[in-house]
Amino acid sequence: MALIEIQNLHHTYHAGTPEAVVALDGISLTIERGEFVAIVGGNGSGKSTLAKHLNALLLPTEGEVRVDGLDTREPASTWEVRQRVGMVFQNPDNQLVATVVEEDVAFGPENLGLPSREIVERVEESLRVVGMLDYRRHQPHLLSGGQKQRVAIAGILAMRPQCLVLDEATTMLDPLGQREVMETIHTLNREGVTVIHITHAMEEAAQCPRMIVLSSGRVAMDGLPVDVFSRADDLHRLRLVLPPIPALASQLRRDGLPVPERILDADDLASAIASLATERVGHGRVGNGAD
Amino acid sequence: MALIECVDLTHVYLRGTPLEAVALRGVTLSIDAGTFVGLLGPTGSGKSTLIQHFNALLRPTSGTVHVAGIDLSQPRADVKTVRRQVGLVFQYPEHQLFEETVFDDVAYGPRNLGLATEEIQDRVQDALRLVGVDPDAFGRRSPFSLSGGEMRRVAIAGVLAMQPQVLVLDEPAAGLDPQGKQEILGQIRTLHRERGLTVILITHSMDEAAQLVDRIVVMNRGQVAMDGPVRGIFRRADELASIGLGVPAITDLMLRLRRRGVAVRPDVLSLEEARAAIWEAVRWN
């Protein structure tokens, strides 16, 4: 059984009123345990609405969402679903509740009514995984944006979820904070946590093994980032763009430089160009090869 | 004197309390009329504190700030004139929309200036067109019925309708989809080029800065850490990395090529420049 199974999911806000807005319009998706999935799409494509269905913050207007086999529409399952799927939101300042880092992380497990030794263990382990153990007695409001987001992630990890959903969790961070959060979620994924990362940053999506593109509440593309990024014109229609490195690689190919296809990464492009440059040593000046 | 001139500007929050925090320490900076400046720096480096001095939302704890010749370290400084000249667009400005129609929201500032109805009408239409929102199609709609990108642009139009000389924007593209980002940044570039507006842009994106600005000021721990033309700043990749920043993706590619012995120029900022530099290196190596 897959961790998340979505069948023909529809969601309409203000259904049955003149303000009704269709946000999700028939989504079917399967996400297996241990996957690392990026979800991208233009503003208003339904990304956040979809995310909120994964831990029963929103319920389907039509269709169904199953998490670890549990139907999210079943009121009796709500808490079990939320223990399995944790959410991290955009603004770190809205997600921290306590005045000391370790108390913030302990908030969830305390509410589970766990014995205090177990809580202490979970808090320590979670802070260690996100690299914030040294800050356990610090005040959250004095941390940097990236550190706050990592504490927010630790708070969710302390609930031992199977799946972490990040809804634009890197959008408000500076470059270092973005890197810290990306490294943290890659580490968690390697340890077995399923990660669903919603982002507008195409460079971040390029780092994920699977990329889902939403448009008008439907799945427009679903596959490897290299395949998604090979459809530049389709992406453009969906209000997205290629990240700079694949954009440059495809431009150079169009110019006639034999750069291999399916390049996403700066290092790969640099080696490809470097070997082309060496090959040409001693061949004298060559034409630009344009068609 | 430059349009904005800070000399030894220091700002301390909650001075004399246990929560005292020094946000700016001895910032000296001058910004000439008509320039496009990128203000970069990690979270907490003092960027937001600094720009709030530019329209007198904050006053110096010590040191001076002059805007258009007005000395804002003086308690009786003409703050009204300064605020009319310096328009500040905060992060997520769409959260500040409040009127019933797009027109009324943009007209709010000009109405408070006591302008004639016709003048208000002209300013609102002009401001909306500048941000690519059709005043006829959108003017009577509720701002809350718009998409995120449209709301953002209407909020910026509200600042433009005050006809400021200086536009200060704090992460104007944050949270927008990639095309929404390009649209709004393109419009800001147009305002600078065609209307001669002085623009100060806070951004976390090195790629955005490379595309848009002439000069970069890097803040770190309340001080100016680097200040110079954009190309020169992005040549200093190691220094940028040491304060948690980076270089644009394309510039980074050039540095990787050089480490592999390919003799490309290091100070490349755009895809077009990279294309030319790579062809040259492949031809002549």
Side-chain angles (χ1 to χ4, degrees):
Chain A
M1 179 180 47
L3 181 62
I4 292 171
E5 283 178 295
I6 301 171
Q7 275 301 324
N8 191 32
L9 171 62
H10 288 75
H11 191 88
T12 305
Y13 290 105
H14 312 293
T17 74
E19 286 93 48
V21 181
V22 177
L24 298 179
D25 193 17
I27 288 194
S28 296
L29 269 183
T30 302
I31 293 173
E32 301 290 342
R33 281 167 218 283
E35 273 202 87
F36 192 144
V37 184
I39 299 183
V40 303
N43 289 118
S45 60
K47 302 183 298 296
S48 293
T49 305
L50 175 61
K52 289 185 182 123
H53 279 84
L54 302 179
N55 76 341
L57 284 176
L58 288 176
L59 298 176
T61 308
E62 198 191 317
E64 67 169 31
V65 176
R66 284 183 180 273
V67 174
D68 201 13
L70 300 162
D71 186 339
T72 60
R73 286 170 307 185
E74 201 57 62
S77 309
T78 303
W79 290 109
E80 282 185 80
V81 167
R82 290 193 185 152
Q83 272 187 41
R84 283 167 173 74
V85 180
M87 301 265 296
V88 183
F89 296 98
Q90 193 179 108
N91 190 344
D93 292 319
N94 296 345
Q95 297 173 72
L96 303 179
V97 291
T99 53
V100 180
V101 165
E102 61 182 3
E103 287 174 13
D104 197 274
V105 178
F107 181 80
E110 274 169 3
N111 282 340
L112 294 181
L114 297 172
S116 57
R117 190 186 298 163
E118 165 92 22
I119 295 175
V120 171
E121 274 174 26
R122 285 193 181 196
V123 168
E124 256 193 55
E125 190 200 321
S126 308
L127 283 171
R128 188 174 300 120
V129 175
V130 301
M132 288 296 291
L133 192 56
D134 291 343
Y135 293 84
R136 58 194 300 171
R137 308 219 195 277
H138 284 234
Q139 298 179 45
H141 74 274
L142 296 178
L143 301 176
S144 74
Q147 289 171 333
K148 284 178 194 168
Q149 256 340 18
R150 285 188 286 154
V151 171
I153 293 173
I156 287 158
L157 292 181
M159 305 290 281
R160 303 255 166 97
Q162 300 180 15
C163 178
L164 196 60
V165 179
L166 300 108
D167 190 357
E168 290 197 45
T170 56
T171 298
M172 293 179 78
L173 304 182
D174 63 12
L176 181 63
Q178 291 169 4
R179 218 159 45 233
E180 287 170 1
V181 169
M182 287 308 291
E183 281 166 11
T184 303
I185 60 180
H186 276 285
T187 306
L188 290 172
N189 181 250
R190 278 192 296 274
E191 293 186 1
V193 179
T194 307
V195 177
I196 299 172
H197 180 44
I198 297 176
T199 183
H200 281 312
M202 296 296 129
E203 314 82 77
E204 289 180 3
Q207 298 171 28
C208 303
R210 177 179 173 194
M211 194 171 163
I212 295 172
V213 183
L214 295 189
S215 170
S216 310
R218 295 183 193 178
V219 175
M221 301 186 206
D222 182 356
L224 299 172
V226 275
D227 293 324
V228 171
F229 288 132
S230 70
R231 297 167 62 186
D233 295 339
D234 293 331
L235 283 175
H236 200 259
R237 264 198 300 283
L238 304 173
R239 299 190 56 77
L240 303 177
V241 295
L242 286 185
I245 297 299
L248 177 61
S250 83
Q251 185 60 56
L252 289 170
R253 248 194 327 276
R254 275 203 297 278
D255 293 344
L257 193 70
V259 177
E261 287 189 36
R262 305 169 72 81
I263 281 187
L264 290 183
D265 183 76
D267 232 27
D268 296 342
L269 183 56
S271 356
I273 294 169
S275 61
L276 287 170
T278 345
E279 264 170 40
R280 296 191 181 205
V281 173
H283 290 202
R285 186 170 177 174
V286 296
N288 75 359
D291 300 333
Chain B
M1 183 181 259
L3 183 58
I4 296 177
E5 188 112 40
C6 307
V7 177
D8 207 20
L9 168 62
T10 293
H11 192 89
V12 183
Y13 288 110
L14 302 167
R15 192 160 52 151
T17 76
L19 297 175
E20 180 172 297
V22 182
L24 295 175
R25 42 185 109 224
V27 171
T28 296
L29 183 70
S30 66
I31 293 172
D32 288 320
T35 51
F36 197 144
V37 180
L39 192 53
L40 274 56
T43 310
S45 58
K47 305 182 296 293
S48 301
T49 305
L50 178 62
I51 61 164
Q52 290 181 65
H53 283 84
F54 295 165
N55 79 343
L57 284 178
L58 290 175
R59 301 294 192 100
T61 306
S62 68
T64 60
V65 178
H66 281 83
V67 175
I70 297 170
D71 181 357
L72 290 172
S73 50
Q74 298 303 316
R76 299 169 145 272
D78 180 4
V79 170
K80 248 187 164 166
T81 302
V82 168
R83 292 204 177 133
R84 229 179 272 181
Q85 298 207 15
V86 181
L88 214 58
V89 179
F90 286 104
Q91 274 185 30
Y92 298 88
E94 61 276 20
H95 295 169
Q96 296 165 43
L97 296 171
F98 69 103
E99 279 282 7
E100 282 182 21
T101 68
V102 166
F103 183 94
D104 286 339
D105 209 285
V106 178
Y108 179 79
R111 274 188 187 131
N112 279 344
L113 295 179
L115 299 174
T117 316
E118 252 172 49
E119 166 85 13
I120 292 172
Q121 179 110 9
D122 287 350
R123 282 193 179 204
V124 172
Q125 291 189 344
D126 186 44
L128 283 170
R129 283 198 193 103
L130 284 172
V131 295
V133 174
D134 178 0
D136 300 319
F138 285 86
R140 306 180 73 145
R141 283 177 61 178
S142 160
F144 303 103
S145 69
L146 307 179
S147 76
E150 288 162 352
M151 284 168 78
R152 179 84 49 98
R153 284 185 272 162
V154 168
I156 294 175
V159 173
L160 293 176
M162 300 296 281
Q163 300 190 341
Q165 304 290 303
V166 186
L167 190 60
V168 185
L169 305 119
D170 191 351
E171 292 265 13
L176 299 183
D177 61 35
Q179 275 179 44
K181 254 177 214 182
Q182 287 184 347
E183 283 162 19
I184 217 150
L185 296 174
Q187 278 146 4
I188 293 165
R189 187 201 316 247
T190 307
L191 283 169
H192 169 68
R193 287 199 182 148
E194 290 173 13
R195 300 262 169 147
L197 236 66
T198 307
V199 182
I200 300 167
L201 173 77
I202 292 187
T203 178
H204 283 317
S205 161
M206 305 299 137
D207 291 307
E208 263 173 40
Q211 277 174 40
L212 290 166
V213 311
D214 311 319
R215 169 184 168 196
I216 288 181
V217 174
V218 178
M219 300 286 297
N220 192 31
R221 297 170 191 276
Q223 292 177 313
V224 175
M226 300 164 85
D227 181 358
V230 57
R231 229 175 262 284
I233 295 291
F234 285 136
R235 273 173 167 266
R236 295 155 72 182
D238 294 338
E239 242 174 294
L240 286 165
S242 72
I243 47 183
L245 304 178
V247 295
I250 292 294
T251 318
D252 171 64
L253 176 72
M254 296 298 130
L255 296 175
R256 288 171 198 263
L257 282 170
R258 284 168 70 88
R259 282 202 291 275
R260 287 176 164 80
V262 183
V264 286
R265 284 171 44 201
D267 58 347
V268 158
L269 296 179
S270 70
L271 210 132
E272 287 312 304
E273 289 177 8
R275 215 172 139 193
I278 289 167
W279 271 112
E280 199 157 313
V282 174
R283 265 180 229 168
W284 291 107
N285 249 5

